[in-house]
């Protein structure tokens, strides 16, 4: 069987998700045995437009990027969105809540007209996306799981239950009991509740589960002392592109 | 009933002896709560906890467990993985023992499940009577203040010493080999009854406003009660109530493959009936599509369905679900009392 | 230490070899299998197996052949998810894992000497075929036999060759219908219940066996009752998500029943008043 | 017919972010020579407006995956400066360890995955997996150690979790630190092997020098990474609060990133700048490595930035061991951060792998950010890259197009630019 040809691309992002791929360390070498990586700008000079699977990191933040993404979509058999920026719009959507002209002026002053920008959006707002690997950054094991599934010809099984499940299994004290608040009850699991485990709280970086009970989450946050503004802020941090945050 | 006595001053020695000879798992503090974990020194072991975050079911039905190991090549052997390393589980409250007893029956009934049963067999269970009651516990009302089986030894903290009830021969041997014992007198036995009823009395502050044996009947007439909808509208479908519950045992099965794509494992992991996709099938059909139907299912399972199988309610009153549920709708006491009110 | 206890684990599949594959429709294939050990599967019509492709997963699949067909058995599988797609990609000679047979079966014995009314919707015909073939193999043991088969459209009709045979047989009544007509279709059009007006049964001696999609049951049962067939002579096979097949994982639970062990075949009287069953 | 060489690199590879190189040489005359940054701008400073004090480090960490630890720490320090939070010695030491962890992560990644292929004249590390398996495994081992060090101290390899305003949420256990210490000490043979590999190939680094200004943090008593004053090789030193006097930002039409200049047209930041300004504080072992490459201050060859990174790898390992011993000596304590939220303005700076980084925030009394500014190392280097190119290309103009392309790419890569970082600075 011929090895599948794999390419990596990035748009507006911190490139941390591609770095997570490199961070597979020894396992990356195993991946390299199973697939042919034909494009990975962050790590290699080789480049090819002939690939089966495209992993695409980053959000779309300007009209001119749409063409490049559409080109990738046209070449790729399978397109996988890599990380929150690509799957949700992620952190980059925070700017959507300011007037775009104001944003440009704020950062680039009277030279603002040189800098094209429009409200940030996830890949699937521009082209169809086959699979999503959520997270900011992505979880290395989940990336490996998706690669393995694609190699075996199966659809990767991406969780649709909230972070609380993994958080309880990790035997964490719920942060609400510690006087903090948490997006875990509406956020898609798969990270092993890593933030709570590390003493923080769930920021919501993996996006919402398919059917989040946003009303109840708002109520829970409100009973724990968050103002309406803060609650919106919590939803907007990562899922600003989704309806519940608007 | 056979009772023995261990002086508090001799207790550390006993625990140390166990540590020297066995893998010992017990209760440890964590961030102001308690969890079960491995005990490496006597002072780590905590016996005066109110309730742990997750019940000891994790030792018999681990959150994630490999069932089979296989190679992807045709004809290769498939090897079941069955864990039966002996270990001591030190510090299990009677309500959790009651839950373990229920699980034992579930996993032995019909087609027995050796993955569970062997682990269970490998464990020596040392129970301990509660010295404190968690805010949402109601085990006393669930008839789980004491248990008569399911433990090898049962400790009761009597202040200066522990009284140890011997549950099995395995327990007796362990005790005789590793502890400095004194015989317990009938006065000690009487005192133990008193201490137990005192703590049980504290726990009784929470409970049902009606006899709990009426619960199955109550549910039979409550299928269409408005409460399911009303309460479940707040449900986050977070599955917390399932995960923490000592009597919940549903699981999912998945194949995991190594990166070499040549070897793999079939694993099972905890699942929960409150989670959205629990009853969803490949066609897209979801047999419990609404939050309310999933929410109701859990209470029916605890109070009715499993009753038909176990002849007992599948809730032992630990209150873990109640304290873990953020919108506070998972508490059996609140829900059943509300249902009763109508 | 992990100690292998080979024969003890109910999760351990047996190897079976695919001996024949037949494309039934665009999305359904028939697989003929033989256990590598040489032993017969030993099922009774209505039972299912847990089929594995190691590395992909496991799924419950009804046995579609009648018992004891030369040591081979048949599964008919719709390609819909991971496991079913993987099996669709396999070729003759490939090996798969089999656990089971599991669950309850159709009233093969009880219905002897009685009349049978089979009602199949879509791929509900897969498990029913096992019983129908058994009855046809033992035709003298049973009375009148009627088979009603409904499909969404002509292209979703499975086992075409057999349907034609059944239609040509003198000793059974075979009627079918499609919800929506399609190219070349000249038969009945309409939901399956419309076929009931075309048949006559002696209700007291008729066993009605129904398998189809969840929505179908309620309507078919009404028709069967309208014909006067007693509730306890109505049988149906239910589908639920399954992960273990041995009554542990909880996914298939309906009330106190586990569909994998207490079902999938139920007598109507045992479940008619159970919420969530139908 | 005129002799024309056109070098056009769209999206230079093996760097972080998107940058282009445009060179046109006609009849031996360099007509065009441009370094363009085309990364999509992300406007972080705007995003920060209105966000809560505890979110800023989380958000700014996402400026760059490779320097996420540096952004996190700089952000925390800026918030702490704004709110007058004091830190314990333990916190400061753990943060210093974290800076080392990131330095190791980033430098090893750069040297092993990005520079080594250049020196071995292959397009990427992929072919090396078969031709130089042992060397690749060595790099992987060192990189994994650095990642696990970040995991242990920061709670994640990138976008760290544990460092928060005022301290940490979780602390490594003594045994964990001991294990780390052993691993660091045991990694020296690997580092030496990497050093000698690079030494053997160092002849492939172009011999090119251009006098410029170097800017980095300095401190009286250490090789300044986590803290210090701003200093210049042209003389002078400034408190971090005065950072704007140094980092005069300006925009150029061909780039989405901003350029900076100080006394001259441009200046350079990064490992070489640090080494030029902090040489005396290198550990003896690190200085020994510098010596084998004849790397002494002030060195004006930008390609030597690669070697300066190698020297810093040794320094970071040595100094981490010292810090761990110090931490273990005092015993690790659980120290819950304590402070009160206040309005205020604060500036902070940390030396991240690519150079000096500044964050400045202003908060209102609710702890909401009302104004923010981040000045990123690569931004400060863009102008210097441009000026280097202008000086370098005429020197190599007689080479073939391919050779020029490779050498100019190597020049850009020597800066280890982190472009995605650099495209969102506020205009004041
Ligand atoms: C008793 C019984 C008999 C069946 N007989 C047949 C048959 O003869 N032919 C046929 O084509 N299909 C049959 N099905 C349906 C078949 O089980 C599903 O189509 C199959 O499980 C889908 O698996 P998948 O891995 O392809 O899909 P995925 O969507 O990838 O499913 C993942 C897993 O979820 C579970 N699951 C998903 N859908 C179902 C389902 N409908 N029923 C039970 N578990 C499910 C399985 O464990 C499956 O492996 C039967 C179902 C039951 C309950
Ligand atoms: S800490 Fe967050 S993720 Fe964990 S249980 Fe609580 S709400 Fe859920
Ligand atoms: S009842 Fe409570 S704990 Fe259970 S799933 Fe719903 S919200 Fe979560
Ligand atoms: S239902 Fe709640 S109270 Fe009852 S056993 Fe389960 S977790 Fe404990």
């Amino acid at each position: 069987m011929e090895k599948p040809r794999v390419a990596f691309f990035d748009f507006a992002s911190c490139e941390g998700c591609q770095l997570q791929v490199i961070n597979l360390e020894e396992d990356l070498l195993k991946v390299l045995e199973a697939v042919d990586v034909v494009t990975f700008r962050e790590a290699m000079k080789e480049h090819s437009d002939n690939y089966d699977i495209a992993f695409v990191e980053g959000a779309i933040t300007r009209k001119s990027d749409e063409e490049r993404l559409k080109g990738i979509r046209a070449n790729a058999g399978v397109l996988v969105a890599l990380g929150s920026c690509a799957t949700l719009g992620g952190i980059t959507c925070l700017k959507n809540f300011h007037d775009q002209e104001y944003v440009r002026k704020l950062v680039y002053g009277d030279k603002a007209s040189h800098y094209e920008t429009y409200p940030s959006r996830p890949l699937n707002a521009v082209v169809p996306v086959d699979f999503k690997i959520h997270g900011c950054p992505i979880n290395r094991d989940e990336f490996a799981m998706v690669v393995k599934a694609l190699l075996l010809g199966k659809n990767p099984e991406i969780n649709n239950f909230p972070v609380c499940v993994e958080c309880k299994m990790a035997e964490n004290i719920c942060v609400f009991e510690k006087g903090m608040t948490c997006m875990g009850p509406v956020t898609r699991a798969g990270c092993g509740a890593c933030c709570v485990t590390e003493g923080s709280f769930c920021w919501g970086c993996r996006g919402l589960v398919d059917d989040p009970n946003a009303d109840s989450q708002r109520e829970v946050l409100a009973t724990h002392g968050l103002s309406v503004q803060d609650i919106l802020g919590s939803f907007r941090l990562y899922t600003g592109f989704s309806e519940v945050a608007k | 009933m056979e009772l023995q006595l261990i002086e508090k001053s001799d207790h550390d020695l006993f625990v140390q002896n166990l540590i020297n000879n066995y893998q010992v798992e017990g209760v440890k503090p964590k961030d102001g709560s308690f969890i079960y974990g491995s005990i490496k020194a006597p002072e780590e072991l905590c016996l005066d906890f109110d309730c742990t975050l997750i019940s000891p079911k994790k030792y018999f039905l681990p959150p994630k467990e490999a069932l089979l190991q296989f190679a992807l090549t045709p004809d290769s052997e498939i090897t079941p993985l069955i864990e039966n390393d002996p270990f001591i589980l030190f510090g299990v409250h009677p309500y959790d023992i009651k839950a373990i007893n229920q699980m034992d029956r579930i996993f032995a009934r019909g087609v027995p499940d050796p993955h569970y049963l062997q682990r269970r067999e490998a464990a020596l269970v040392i129970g301990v009577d509660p010295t404190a009651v968690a805010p949402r516990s109601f085990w006393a009302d669930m008839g789980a203040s004491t248990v008569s089986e399911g433990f090898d030894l049962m400790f009761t903290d009597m202040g200066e010493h522990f009284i140890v009830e011997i549950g099995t021969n395995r327990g007796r041997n362990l005790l005789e080999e590793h502890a400095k014992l004194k015989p317990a007198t009938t006065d000690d036995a009487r005192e133990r009854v008193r201490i137990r009823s005192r703590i049980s009395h504290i726990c009784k502050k929470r409970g049902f406003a009606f006899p709990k044996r009426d619960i199955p009947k109550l549910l039979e007439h409550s299928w269409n009660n408005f409460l399911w909808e009303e309460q479940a509208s707040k449900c986050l479908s977070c599955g917390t109530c399932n995960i923490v519950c000592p009597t919940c045992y549903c699981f999912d099965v998945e194949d995991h493959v190594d990166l070499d794509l040549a070897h793999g494992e079939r694993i099972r992991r905890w699942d929960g009936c409150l989670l959205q996709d629990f009853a969803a099938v490949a066609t897209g059909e979801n047999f419990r599509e609404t939050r309310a139907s999933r929410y109701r299912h859990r209470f029916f399972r605890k109070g009715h369905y499993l009753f038909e199988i176990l002849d007992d309610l599948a809730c032992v009153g630990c209150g873990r679900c109640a304290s873990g549920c953020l919108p506070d709708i998972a508490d059996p006491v609140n829900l059943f009392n509300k249902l009763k009110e109508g | 230490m992990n100690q292998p206890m080979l024969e003890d684990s109910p999760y351990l599949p047996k190897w079976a070899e695919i001996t024949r594959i037949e494309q039934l429709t665009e999305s359904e294939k028939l697989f003929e299998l033989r256990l590598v050990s040489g032993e017969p599967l030993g099922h009774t019509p209505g039972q299912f197996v847990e089929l594995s492709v190691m590395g992909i997963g496991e799924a419950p699949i009804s046995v579609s052949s009648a018992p004891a067909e030369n040591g081979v058995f048949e599964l008919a599988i719709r390609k819909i998810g991971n496991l079913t797609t993987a099996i669709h990609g396999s070729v003759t000679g490939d090996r798969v894992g089999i656990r089971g047979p599991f669950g309850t079966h159709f009233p093969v014995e009880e219905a002897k000497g009685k009349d049978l009314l089979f009602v199949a919707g879509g791929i509900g015909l897969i498990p029913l075929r096992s019983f129908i073939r058994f009855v046809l193999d033992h035709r003298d043991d049973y009375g009148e036999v009627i088979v009603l088969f409904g499909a969404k459209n002509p292209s979703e009709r499975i086992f075409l060759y057999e349907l034609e045979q059944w239609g040509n047989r003198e000793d059974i009544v075979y009627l079918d219908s499609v919800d929506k007509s399609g190219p070349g279709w000249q038969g009945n059009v309409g939901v399956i219940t419309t076929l009931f007006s075309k048949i006559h049964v002696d209700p007291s001696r008729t066993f009605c066996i129904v398998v189809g999609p969840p929505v179908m049951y309620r309507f078919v049962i009404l028709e069967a009752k309208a014909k006067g067939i007693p509730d306890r002579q109505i049988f149906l096979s239910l589908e639920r998500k399954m992960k273990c097949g041995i009554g542990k994982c909880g996914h298939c639970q309906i009330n106190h029943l586990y569909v994998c062990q207490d079902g999938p075949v139920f007598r109507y009287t045992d479940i008619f008043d159970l919420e969530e069953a139908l | 017919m005129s002799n024309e060489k056109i070098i056009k690199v769209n999206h230079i590879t093996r760097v972080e972010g998107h940058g282009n190189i445009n060179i046109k040489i006609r009849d031996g005359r360099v007509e065009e020579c441009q370094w363009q940054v085309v990364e999509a701008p992300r406007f972080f400073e705007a995003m920060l407006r209105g966000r809560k004090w505890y979110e800023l480090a989380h958000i700014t960490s996402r400026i760059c995956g490779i320097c996420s630890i540096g952004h996190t720490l700089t952000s925390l320090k800026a918030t702490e400066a704004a709110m007058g939070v004091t830190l314990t010695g333990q916190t400061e030491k753990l943060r210093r360890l974290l800076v080392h962890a990131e330095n190791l992560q980033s430098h090893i990644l750069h040297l092993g995955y990005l520079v080594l292929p250049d020196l071995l004249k292959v397009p990427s590390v992929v072919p090396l997996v078969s031709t130089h398996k042992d060397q690749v495994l060595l790099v992987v081992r060192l990189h994994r150690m650095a990642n696990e060090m970040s995991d242990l101290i920061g709670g994640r390899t990138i976008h760290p979790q544990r460092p928060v305003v005022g301290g940490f949420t979780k602390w490594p256990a003594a045994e964990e630190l001991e294990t780390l210490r052993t691993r660091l000490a045991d990694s020296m043979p690997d580092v030496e092997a990497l050093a000698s590999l690079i030494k053997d190939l160092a002849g492939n680094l172009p011999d090119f020098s251009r006098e410029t200004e170097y800017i980095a943090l300095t401190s009286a008593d250490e090789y300044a990474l986590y803290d210090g004053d701003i200093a210049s090789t042209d003389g002078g030193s400034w408190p971090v609060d005065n950072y704007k006097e140094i980092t005069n930002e300006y925009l150029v039409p061909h780039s989405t990133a901003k350029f900076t200049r100080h006394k001259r047209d441009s200046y350079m930041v990064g490992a070489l700048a640090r080494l030029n300004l902090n040489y005396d504080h290198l550990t003896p072992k690190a200085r020994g490595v510098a010596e084998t490459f004849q790397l002494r201050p002030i060195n004006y060859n930008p390609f030597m930035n690669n070697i300066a990174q190698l020297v810093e790898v040794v320094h970071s390992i040595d100094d981490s061991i010292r810090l761990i011993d110090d931490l273990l000596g005092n015993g690790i304590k659980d120290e819950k951060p304590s402070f009160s939220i206040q309005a205020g303005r604060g500036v902070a700076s940390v030396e991240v792998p690519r150079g000096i980084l500044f964050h400045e925030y202003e908060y209102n009394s609710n702890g909401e950010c009302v104004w923010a500014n981040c000045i990123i190392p690569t931004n400060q280097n863009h102008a210097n890259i441009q000026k280097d190119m202008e000086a370098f290309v005429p020197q190599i103009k007689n080479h073939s197009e391919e050779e020029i392309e490779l050498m100019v790419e190597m020049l850009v890569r020597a800066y280890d630019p982190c472009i995605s970082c650099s495209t969102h600075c506020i205009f004041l």
Side-chain angles (χ1 to χ4, degrees), chain D residues 33-313:
Chain D
C33 179
Q34 222 174 51
W35 166 238
Q36 300 179 323
V37 178
V38 293
E39 182 83 5
R42 284 185 298 159
F43 307 98
F44 267 86
E45 289 85 350
M47 299 182 193
L48 295 177
R49 286 212 170 176
R51 302 302 310 196
K52 292 281 201 185
W53 59 275
Y54 55 83
E55 295 175 325
L56 263 67
H58 185 91
I59 296 172
T60 54
S61 177
R62 271 73 188 166
I63 290 176
C64 171
I66 301 190
C67 342
S68 61
I69 293 177
H71 278 288
T72 300
L73 294 180
T74 315
S75 173
L76 295 176
K77 279 176 67 181
T79 300
E80 285 155 1
M83 300 194 179
V85 182
T86 50
L87 300 176
T88 65
Q90 174 176 298
T91 295
E92 301 246 356
K93 283 173 207 154
L94 283 169
R95 288 192 181 174
R96 280 181 160 79
L97 263 184
L98 211 42
V99 174
H100 284 318
E102 179 172 78
N103 232 14
L104 290 171
Q105 274 182 328
S106 176
H107 288 351
I108 290 165
L109 181 81
H110 184 235
L111 291 170
Y113 290 83
L114 312 179
V115 174
L116 216 48
D118 275 341
L119 295 178
L120 290 163
K121 302 197 183 305
V122 290
S124 77
V125 75
V126 176
L128 300 182
V129 177
S130 36
T131 60
H132 292 71
K133 181 114 195 177
D134 289 345
Q135 285 86 340
V136 171
L137 284 176
L138 175 158
V139 169
V140 165
R141 262 198 311 275
L142 286 172
H143 191 241
R144 185 154 52 82
M145 175 185 78
N147 269 342
E148 287 173 13
M149 179 171 172
S150 315
D151 265 336
L152 178 63
I153 316 292
R156 191 150 61 183
T157 50
I158 56 179
H159 301 322
Q161 306 259 34
R162 295 185 183 183
V164 289
V165 176
F168 282 82
T169 59
K170 207 171 164 179
W171 302 266
E175 311 83 73
E176 292 173 318
L177 280 179
E178 269 155 26
T179 313
L180 175 63
R181 188 198 186 284
T182 316
R183 285 188 69 184
L184 288 165
D186 291 351
S187 73
M188 269 307 174
D190 276 350
V191 176
E192 279 157 19
L194 180 65
S196 78
L197 179 64
I198 292 174
K199 176 84 184 115
D200 292 345
L201 300 166
N204 294 341
L205 287 174
D207 182 18
F208 162 75
S209 282
R210 182 182 70 87
E211 235 189 88
T212 187
E213 183 183 4
Y214 292 90
I215 288 183
L217 290 180
T218 55
S219 149
D221 34 46
E222 62 176 353
Y223 191 96
L225 290 168
Y226 176 69
D227 225 351
D229 286 331
I230 308 167
S232 160
T233 46
D234 285 352
S237 128
W238 303 262
V240 165
D241 280 345
N242 298 9
Y243 73 103
K244 280 180 209 150
E245 289 172 29
I246 296 96
T247 62
N248 298 296
E249 286 193 302
Y250 59 100
L251 291 160
V252 291
H254 55 251
S255 282
T256 51
K258 294 178 186 175
F259 284 42
T260 59
R261 61 179 153 229
H262 178 223
K263 290 184 180 153
R264 313 177 185 229
D265 285 348
S266 68
Y267 63 83
M268 180 172 177
V269 300
L272 185 59
R274 288 193 288 265
L275 189 132
N276 278 337
L277 285 154
N278 289 280
Y279 184 84
D280 293 342
H281 287 301
L282 282 172
T283 65
K285 234 187 263 164
R287 208 176 314 165
V289 174
E291 215 34 61
T292 56
F293 288 88
Q294 278 137 36
L295 173 54
R296 294 184 205 104
I298 297 170
N299 185 303
Y300 289 113
N301 179 353
F303 291 95
M304 288 306 269
N305 193 45
N306 295 317
I307 307 303
Q309 291 186 337
L310 179 66
V311 172
E312 284 196 343
V313 167

Side-chain angles (χ1 to χ4, degrees), chain B residues 75-76 82 85 109 111 113-115 118 223 249-252 255 266 271 277-278 280 287-288 301, chain C residues 1 3 5 8-11 15 52 55-57 95 239-241 243 248-249 251 253 258 275-276:
Chain B
D75 286 338
S76 62
I82 294 184
D85 291 349
R109 128 187 212 272
V111 183
D113 184 315
H115 300 264
Q118 295 254 351
W223 185 263
Y249 54 82
C250 292
F251 58 84
D252 198 358
D255 281 9
R266 182 158 291 170
D271 204 342
D277 296 339
F278 183 79
F287 290 97
R288 255 173 250 114
R301 202 164 184 279
Chain C
M1 190 192 62
Q3 214 176 55
M5 308 271 293
D8 283 352
S9 173
Y11 301 100
W15 286 116
S52 299
I56 306 289
R95 291 195 169 177
E239 182 184 0
R240 285 295 182 276
K241 181 155 166 174
K243 284 290 177 180
K248 305 281 183 269
C249 81
H251 286 94
Q253 195 177 10
Y258 282 85
E275 302 284 358
E276 289 188 342

Side-chain angles (χ1 to χ4, degrees), chain A residues 10 14 41 102 107 198 238, chain D residues 14 17-18 49 162 169 425:
Chain A
D10 45 54
C14 77
R41 195 191 45 73
Y102 158 81
V107 182
E198 288 300 340
Y238 280 96
Chain D
R14 282 184 286 136
H18 295 91
R49 286 212 170 176
R162 295 185 183 183
T169 59
C425 295

